[in-house]
Amino acid sequence: MALKPNSADGRTRSWVQIFIVFGLCCFFYILGAWQRSGFGKGDSIALEITKHGADCNIIPSLNFETHHAGEVGNVGESEKIKSFQPCPPRYVDYTPCQDQKRAMTFPRDNMIYRERHCPREEEKLHCLVPAPKGYVTPFPWPKSRDYVPYANAPYKALTVEKAIQNWIQYEGNVFRFPGGGTQFPQGADKYIDQLAAVIPITNGTVRTALDTGCGVASWGAYLWSRNVLTMSFAPRDSHEAQVQFALERGVPAVIGVLGTIKMPYPSRAFDMAHCSRCLIPWGANDGMYLKEVDRVLRPGGYWVLSGPPINWRNNYKAWQRPKEELEEEQQKIEDVAKLLCWEKKHEKGEMAIWQKRVNDESCRGREDDSQAKFCKAEEANDVWYKKMDVCVTPYTDVSSSSEVAGGELKPFPERLFAVPPRIASGSVPGVSVETYEEDNNIWKKHVNAYKKINRLIDSGRYRNILDMNAGLGGFAAALNSPKLWVMNVMPTIAEKDTLGVIYERGLIGIYHDWCEAFSTYPRTYDLIHAHGLFSLYKDKCNLEDILLEMDRILRPEGAVIFRDEVDVLIKVKKITAGMRWDTKMVDHEDGPLVPEKVLVAVKQYWTVGGNTTSAQ
């Protein structure tokens, strides 16, 4: 039988509760007065958060779904917000550093005019690049590999120019990509099968690949199913929208060219490099381009060349080129490959495959070769706007003839979390095995928190992901999934250069300075991650310019995750309020007392000629 409550005890408890509440109110009133008096170090930050209505809880109101609508994030009514207007429709596919009009003012020698030439400060656009009318969210992978909505890249030139080569076909309101190419009319899969007969593609030994002059990147698209991650590039040239099509398909690609500047990748990065009729003069300039491929090719890696001049004796009639010219061209390639100490593993049909030696022990004779000019070892990763030199990148030292220079890698996926050789050897100052493993644990925790905030992560909704300040690649590694890929960017001003570590983990990335535009088309990333980026660049360039560039390359209804100090994020939030982004602030997963916060944003859907509109 239940006891009857004592009324006196109840009254006592009520008075105690009232006293506690009254005491707490007095305490917080005094605390608030003390903060407003100027004695609290973080007062201005706390007041700004309060004034702007930042919600430091898990986001209940920010909609990540594809809905093509939204509202501007909450800001104080008294705060005047700068509103960014849409750019004129002609800028719908604007690529600032590869602008066609500007390019034509530069020399054509060695493809200089196709390299990066960015606008001066006074030429920069301060408007929002619009999406084309009728733009829709791309198909999810793997359907996107084969189909791209016509409205997203409405250019038919390739369907005519490459009609007989099976690159791309126009079918009603979509483009279809049959997987063909100039050198693989039967499809990329069968072409890759031929490579796999020579190169160990299927066992995880080959994980990272480079496709030079990639076209619409069908080679990289079909390598994905074999767990090979390909960095593809092609110039912005007369073959309209090649890289744009690649990214619309969900394939990693950037606008780029082998010209006079080093490729923006670290040394010993790729397990395999490939050229299929990429029209690069490999034997020219004393083999400068082959020597650049050698720099980025890992010891033991493979180089594939298919098309002219390979096996010219049997193919010169089909190519309609003089035998003498083709013979000279192939001989130059063979001579450079010999100088680089590459071993030819295969030549059949129109395909040849070379393998780079695992170390320099079997190449000692080239030290006496007068043509073997060696680069400075310390400059192997110094590439941003640095001229290519006609020199050979030296191997790192080894202690035996069987040792792999730079360290042997585990097969993928084991290498994703194994200790990278550059860290194990102490080649990255300030990064130990312990700090690397701790970084992995931290990013696993961060990514788990992101998935609670945005449950669409790893659902297939986000395919192309950009990490603007990648560090050791922990974000990409924790996010690793067959549904997505991450472009890891190493800012050129970062304190530590860890891009080589990222490649040793079986991930891909690129060097870049965020004071300039990225080498990609508008609307090419579904999700952007920026950790500490604005703290890094706060005294380097205009924060507004970086945010406008993020808006340019982010798809409508794409998401952004900022992780930074709270005072920095408040400034970011003010600017994005005028950019048609919805934003919310949330606490660090370890609680509200941690000064680092997370700002999450969703870009609204809008197109040329109008404001926010409903879905089509």
Side-chain angles (χ1 to χ4, degrees), residues 230-268:
T230 306
M231 172 72 79
S232 300
F233 72 81
R236 178 161 189 167
D237 62 6
S238 58
H239 290 166
E240 203 169 43
Q242 292 179 93
V243 168
Q244 188 175 23
F245 277 131
L247 287 155
E248 284 294 320
R249 298 175 72 185
V251 181
V254 292
I255 302 171
V257 65
L258 272 173
T260 63
I261 304 298
K262 292 180 180 180
M263 290 188 285
Y265 313 115
S267 61
R268 311 195 312 271

Side-chain angles (χ1 to χ4, degrees), residues 216-227:
V216 294
S218 287
W219 189 70
Y222 280 82
L223 275 170
W224 180 268
S225 63
R226 307 186 193 220
N227 220 14

Side-chain angles (χ1 to χ4, degrees), residues 344-504:
K344 195 171 207 178
K345 306 294 287 188
H346 173 84
E347 181 174 324
K348 186 176 180 180
E350 298 180 10
M351 179 191 294
I353 301 173
W354 286 264
Q355 184 177 20
K356 182 176 178 176
R357 307 279 184 176
V358 297
N359 59 46
D360 208 12
E361 290 298 306
S362 59
C363 308
R364 291 300 179 189
R366 68 178 179 175
E367 293 180 355
D368 300 324
D369 192 326
S370 60
Q371 297 181 13
K373 175 189 172 185
F374 286 89
C375 311
K376 295 179 181 178
E378 62 273 17
E379 295 178 355
N381 297 324
D382 185 14
V383 301
W384 188 245
Y385 284 121
K386 295 300 173 66
K387 292 283 186 182
M388 272 189 222
D389 196 359
V390 188
C391 58
V392 179
T393 302
Y395 284 92
T396 55
D397 293 333
V398 294
S399 56
S400 71
S401 59
S402 61
E403 184 181 350
V404 178
E408 188 169 1
L409 297 178
K410 304 283 187 183
F412 194 85
E414 190 180 349
R415 76 170 71 165
L416 187 62
F417 289 104
V419 178
R422 293 181 210 227
I423 290 178
S425 66
S427 301
V428 184
V431 181
S432 64
V433 173
E434 292 73 25
T435 56
Y436 167 74
E437 291 174 344
E438 181 184 0
D439 186 78
N440 284 333
N441 292 330
I442 289 171
W443 280 107
K444 287 175 183 177
K445 183 172 71 171
H446 287 342
V447 168
N448 284 335
Y450 293 159
K451 289 180 178 179
K452 291 177 182 177
I453 295 170
N454 182 350
R455 299 188 186 278
L456 295 180
I457 294 175
D458 201 23
S459 71
R461 170 68 179 84
Y462 305 122
R463 169 69 181 172
N464 303 356
I465 298 178
L466 178 69
D467 191 357
M468 299 178 72
N469 186 17
L472 295 170
F475 169 74
L479 204 58
N480 184 59
S481 165
K483 299 174 186 174
L484 55 85
W485 57 271
V486 179
M487 180 69 76
N488 294 282
V489 177
M490 177 58 52
T492 55
I493 65 169
E495 181 183 350
K496 296 182 181 68
D497 176 9
T498 53
L499 191 54
V501 169
I502 289 170
Y503 274 94
E504 288 181 342

Side-chain angles (χ1 to χ4, degrees), residues 523-538:
R523 304 170 302 281
T524 47
Y525 287 94
D526 305 299
L527 175 66
I528 297 177
H529 180 251
H531 170 235
L533 184 80
F534 293 98
S535 290
L536 180 65
Y537 275 94
K538 64 182 178 182

Side-chain angles (χ1 to χ4, degrees), residues 197 514 594 604:
W514 287 111
V594 180
Q604 295 178 19

Side-chain angles (χ1 to χ4, degrees), residues 31-53:
L31 178 63
W34 172 71
Q35 286 185 324
R36 289 175 184 270
S37 69
F39 292 103
K41 187 176 181 181
D43 302 346
S44 60
I45 296 172
L47 289 172
E48 284 288 343
I49 293 176
T50 304
K51 183 167 67 177
H52 289 286

